[in-house]
């Protein structure tokens, strides 16, 4: 195994934060206690990402499918989101971290939308560090909406059908302006993508860890980044081409 190359820190890390419920169940605690501990992990991981030099971190916090959970769990999660935003505003400003969201935030409770707007506005001019929260996010819904908006732009003449390309289409996705994730981490041992950034992850390196999200810490993030730096991203080329830099 070759040592990690410090020159290859991922620019954008996306995380499927999973395992809060199992963490709680293992301790005989209510599921919401797992989510509470999960919120503490978010701060740890955002700080650790900055220390490592990761410029963009995207966290899958609530999927479009998560509305189908028991009502008290959904309202508990919304309450925690509200609490997180209120509590983190000062920390984000102090550390110059810009907050953005992807997903249909217009369906979130009005109080959460207000807090989100406040934090997004207060941090909008920070260029270096970026925290992206995926809230009421689902990749297929995002892509369908982008296809619709692109079609409308063609109909209205702002886009030309003959120019259609991924480059143009991707501007209609929620992630417009963000680089594609280099590394995807999923905690809790589940080996699936769960409708997260399906197109944007096209060439991401995938790292799955059995660690449950409330137990995930700086060392686990560092281990995933180390694993990433040992991988060879080939983008369809041969290993020889990558190593010699020849076409
Ligand atoms: C992830 O933990 C948090 C959200 C999906 C909001 P889970 O709640 O999915 O935890 P498990 O999968 O039940 O352990
Ligand atoms: C994915 O986790 C969504 C989030 C982490 C917010 P889930 O726990 O909801 O995913 P599934 O249902 O196990 O695929
Ligand atoms: Mg889960």
């Amino acid at each position: 195994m070759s040592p990690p190359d410090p020159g290859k820190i991922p620019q954008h890390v996306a995380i499927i934060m999973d395992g809060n419920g199992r963490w709680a169940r293992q301790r005989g605690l209510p599921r919401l206690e797992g989510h509470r501990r999960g919120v503490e992990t978010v701060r740890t991981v955002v700080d650790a990402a900055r220390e490592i030099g990761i410029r963009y971190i995207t966290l899958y916090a609530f999927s479009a499918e998560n509305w189908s959970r028991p009502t008290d769990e959904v309202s508990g999660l919304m309450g925690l989101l509200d609490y997180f935003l209120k509590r983190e505003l000062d920390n984000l400003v102090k550390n110059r971290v810009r907050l953005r969201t992807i997903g249909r935030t217009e369906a979130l409770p009005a109080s959460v939308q207000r807090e989100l707007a406040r934090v997004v506005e207060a941090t909008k001019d920070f260029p270096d560090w970026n925290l992206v929260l995926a809230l009421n996010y689902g990749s297929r819904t995002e892509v369908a909406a982008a296809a619709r908006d692109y079609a409308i732009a063609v109909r209205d003449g702002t886009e030309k059908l003959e120019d259609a390309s991924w480059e143009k289409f991707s501007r209609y996705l929620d992630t417009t302006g963000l680089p594609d994730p280099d590394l995807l981490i999923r905690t809790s041992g589940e080996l699936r993508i769960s409708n997260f950034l399906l197109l944007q992850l096209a060439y991401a390196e995938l790292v799955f860890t059995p660690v449950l999200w409330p137990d995930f810490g700086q060392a686990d993030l560092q281990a995933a980044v180390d694993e990433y730096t040992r991988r060879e991203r080939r983008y369809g080329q041969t290993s020889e081409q990558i190593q010699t830099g020849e076409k």
Side-chain angles (χ1 to χ4, degrees), residues 15-20 22 31 59-66 69 77 134 137 186-188 190 192-196:
I15 306 183
I16 302 177
M17 312 184 285
D18 200 10
N20 295 350
R22 277 161 285 170
R31 290 180 59 85
L59 301 177
Y60 204 3
F62 192 84
S63 77
E65 289 76 20
N66 287 147
R69 292 192 177 196
L77 282 166
Y137 177 84
R186 183 171 189 147
T187 59
S188 88
E190 304 298 346
R192 56 178 171 269
I193 303 291
S194 301
N195 202 16
F196 190 43

Side-chain angles (χ1 to χ4, degrees), residues 160-206:
K160 291 202 187 78
L161 195 53
E162 53 276 25
D163 293 341
S165 65
W166 164 250
E167 212 269 309
K168 289 212 185 305
F169 172 72
S170 63
R171 289 184 206 147
Y172 293 85
L173 295 168
D174 293 0
T175 48
T176 181
L178 299 170
D180 284 344
D182 302 295
L183 168 62
L184 172 76
I185 303 169
R186 183 171 189 147
T187 59
S188 88
E190 304 298 346
L191 306 179
R192 56 178 171 269
I193 303 291
S194 301
N195 202 16
F196 190 43
L197 299 172
L198 300 178
L199 299 181
Q200 296 89 337
L201 292 171
Y203 267 105
E205 293 297 327
L206 311 181

Side-chain angles (χ1 to χ4, degrees), residues 45 65 90 119 149 191 199 210-211 214:
V45 165
E65 289 76 20
D90 289 349
V119 183
D149 291 347
L191 306 179
L199 299 181
V211 177

